[in-house]
Amino acid sequence: MQATGHQAQLIEKLEEKTATIGIVGMGYVGLPLWLAFSDAGYRVIGLDIDAKKTEHIERGESYIRHVPAASIAQALRAGACASTDYSLANQADALILCVPTPLNAHREPDLRFVTDTMDALLPHLRAGQVVSLESTTYPGTTEEELRPRIESRGFSVGHDIFLLFSPEREDPGNARYSTRSIPKVCGGSTPACLAVGISLYRQAIASVVPVSSTRVAELTKLLENIHRAVNIGLVNEMKIIADRMGIDIHEVIRAAATKPFGFVPYYPGPGLGGHCIPIDPFYLTWKARAYGVHTRFIELAGEVNSAMPHWVIQKVTDALNVRAKPVHGSRVLVLGLAYKKNVDDVRETPSAELIQLLSEKGAIVDYSDPFVPTFVRMRKYAFAMNSVTLSESSIAAYDCVLLATDHDAFDYDLIVRHAQLIVDTRGVYQGAQANVVRA
Ligand SMILES: NC(=O)c1ccc[n+]([C@@H]2O[C@H](COP(=O)([O-])OP(=O)(O)OC[C@H]3O[C@@H](n4cnc5c(N)ncnc54)[C@H](O)[C@@H]3O)[C@@H](O)[C@H]2O)c1
């Protein structure tokens, strides 16, 4: 169908790169996207309610370990900016929302950040803009929460304003894939919206995958994350079985992964972490209830995964017991506070729960993480702790070293040579070693 009116003008601006792109929410997702659109040749505006972030950007500083400050400085030179002033949204032709979608205290979706952001943008909307939601959420959010808000201002979606859902697939710390090279799924509220969406993303992202609706795009993202959560649950259960049988699950996974088809390796760990996998599946659980469906796989995986920290603590307890030591009064060093290797992100990290459980049992706990110098206050946990520097003597001083996150930066030879006991939750140490217990 031939594009006309606002749609045609907007597509032309996007294709000619005369459009201005506004990114709302400059966190782990928003900042790399702001850079990707700047790199692609657009003027970009970053909006955030957190003035510390926008000030960092304006000074050319990065607050995310894997985002180089030099890239931010280069974007600034190309005319990019960041601000807390929502009125700048009026200058943007595209508004891309990358705000948090957490769970509330009852483990239900908390869409406040999304709806507050949309409400704050409403006074600055004008005909001829495209609004794209990237935050992970349940199917229906774009149509049920964003569309009526936009229409309340008298705009017609598909004629004046073009509405999309296009899920983010950022994988922080992954050196193989960047925002640009990860294919981008995109669904529109109407066919005209989708046509605009394709024009928007194909300039900055190598491959755009159009789907028939925003709801399909929303569920696609949830399927990806639920697939991960369920498979991690399965491999965590396999780890417990293998442990009882005296088999090293990591050796089994390495062997199974040599099968060239039909097997995808997932790795067990001390529990789920990060902003996505422990949270997103429950967005679907909540929505499925409205359709009378109980999400059994999701609940079961959640049960297995959330029991992992307790299982690991039991392994620590047993390993100390063999050495005639009670947990109470033992000195334990937790290696790695970030939720996964080589990143500085501590959201929902299982290490915090491990520290809490060990402290409750009377252990004297420290942690070491080269990327997290100080324990940052979390929603559930607040410990006054600083990262311990690893040395022969500091390692040897602990009754137990609990390897929770396998950062490449750790000197694993040094650790195994000097630790009295290592409880390894990541399969770093292969083969039998007298001071290593797998968990
Ligand atoms: N981090 C990831 O790897 C990842 C991957 C895929 C999807 N996601 C999804 O992307 C979304 C964002 O995640 P993130 O990791 O970037 O979160 P984040 O917490 O790093 O960043 C969110 C930003 O939004 C800002 N913000 C909150 N309310 C705002 C408002 N009303 N107006 C403007 N800014 C506001 C916050 O200050 C913060 O800077 C979530 O839905 C998440 O599930 C994240």
Side-chain angles (χ1 to χ4, degrees):
M1 220 169 52
Q2 185 73 28
T4 53
H6 292 303
Q7 186 201 10
Q9 286 166 15
L10 185 50
I11 288 178
E12 193 181 312
K13 274 179 150 182
L14 290 165
E15 310 254 313
E16 289 179 354
K17 301 194 178 172
T18 53
T20 296
I21 312 294
I23 309 289
V24 191
M26 294 292 286
Y28 282 88
V29 167
L31 181 59
L33 201 60
W34 181 87
L35 288 172
F37 275 102
S38 177
D39 280 354
Y42 290 94
R43 179 180 170 237
V44 291
I45 300 172
L47 294 175
D48 204 295
I49 48 171
D50 181 353
K52 281 206 284 290
K53 286 205 176 89
T54 58
E55 284 161 12
H56 273 302
I57 296 173
E58 284 290 304
R59 288 197 297 266
E61 296 165 2
S62 180
Y63 42 87
I64 298 179
R65 206 182 75 81
H66 60 274
V67 174
S71 308
I72 297 178
Q74 193 183 328
L76 293 175
R77 283 195 297 277
C81 68
S83 173
T84 54
D85 177 5
Y86 262 73
S87 70
L88 292 177
N90 193 258
Q91 296 177 17
D93 299 288
L95 288 164
I96 303 181
L97 278 51
C98 313
V99 295
T101 42
L103 296 172
N104 67 18
H106 305 289
R107 298 194 69 71
E108 291 168 348
D110 179 357
L111 279 184
R112 257 177 318 157
F113 295 97
V114 173
T115 53
D116 286 357
T117 301
M118 196 63 239
D119 288 340
L121 288 172
L122 279 185
H124 310 290
L125 287 192
R126 58 172 169 79
Q129 287 178 311
V130 50
V131 174
S132 179
L133 178 62
E134 297 217 359
S135 309
T136 309
T137 185
Y138 56 76
T141 307
T142 310
E143 300 306 320
E144 293 160 17
E145 297 293 339
L146 297 195
R147 188 172 180 151
R149 283 177 161 79
I150 292 169
E151 288 174 340
S152 75
R153 271 217 48 208
F155 294 118
S156 163
V157 167
H159 293 283
D160 306 323
I161 300 271
F162 303 88
L163 183 59
L164 311 169
F165 183 82
S166 180
E168 184 45 58
R169 283 170 161 170
E170 189 68 17
D171 185 15
N174 187 331
R176 243 178 97 197
Y177 297 102
S178 64
T179 306
R180 183 171 176 78
S181 67
I182 301 171
K184 193 118 178 63
V185 170
C186 183
S189 268
T190 69
C193 296
L194 178 59
V196 171
I198 294 169
S199 289
L200 166 66
Y201 284 114
R202 78 167 168 212
Q203 313 295 334
I205 313 276
S207 158
V208 179
V209 183
V211 293
S212 62
S213 67
T214 55
R215 297 167 82 235
V216 169
E218 288 160 336
L219 189 56
T220 301
K221 173 69 188 180
L222 288 183
L223 173 62
E224 291 166 15
N225 284 357
I226 289 165
H227 164 95
R228 251 188 100 63
V230 167
N231 279 287
I232 293 170
L234 173 65
V235 83
N236 275 330
E237 187 172 86
M238 291 292 286
K239 171 175 78 167
I240 294 172
I241 300 165
D243 182 74
R244 283 280 166 83
M245 295 175 165
I247 298 169
D248 176 1
I249 187 67
H250 291 276
E251 188 182 351
V252 174
I253 296 168
R254 280 194 298 277
T258 61
K259 185 178 176 187
F261 48 85
F263 180 81
V264 179
Y266 286 86
Y267 299 94
L272 292 183
H275 182 275
C276 296
I277 308 301
I279 291 169
D280 301 346
F282 296 98
Y283 266 68
L284 187 63
T285 295
W286 181 82
K287 193 64 175 177
R289 255 185 252 139
Y291 291 81
V293 180
H294 178 52
T295 54
R296 285 177 294 168
F297 267 111
I298 296 175
E299 301 284 357
L300 184 59
E303 217 174 278
V304 173
N305 290 328
S306 61
M308 288 324 295
H310 297 271
W311 189 80
V312 167
I313 296 300
Q314 189 58 49
K315 296 295 283 186
V316 171
T317 308
D318 294 347
L320 285 169
N321 186 49
V322 168
R323 288 155 180 80
K325 291 179 183 176
V327 177
H328 193 106
S330 283
R331 295 193 66 202
V332 181
L333 179 68
V334 174
L335 276 190
L337 192 60
Y339 79 88
K340 72 170 183 180
K341 69 190 289 180
N342 305 339
V343 303
D344 57 358
D345 191 347
V346 297
R347 289 178 291 179
E348 307 292 323
T349 177
S351 297
E353 187 172 354
L354 295 172
I355 294 172
Q356 172 78 26
L357 293 172
L358 286 165
S359 304
E360 281 170 8
K361 288 184 181 298
I364 301 150
V365 192
D366 288 313
Y367 82 91
S368 179
D369 192 315
F371 307 128
V372 193
T374 302
F375 193 103
V376 212
R377 194 188 166 81
M378 299 175 195
R379 201 162 37 89
K380 285 196 272 183
Y381 306 104
F383 299 105
M385 293 170 111
N386 293 316
S387 172
V388 167
T389 305
L390 297 184
S391 66
E392 290 180 17
S393 57
S394 69
I395 295 165
Y398 290 94
D399 299 292
C400 176
V401 173
L402 173 53
L403 202 175
T405 314
D406 49 343
H407 290 311
D408 291 336
F410 287 133
D411 183 342
Y412 293 105
D413 281 341
L414 181 84
I415 295 165
V416 78
R417 269 188 280 116
H418 299 283
Q420 299 180 38
L421 165 67
I422 299 171
V423 175
D424 177 7
T425 71
R426 296 289 183 176
V428 168
Y429 293 103
Q430 295 176 21
Q433 283 166 85
N435 60 345
V436 177
V437 169
R438 290 191 188 87

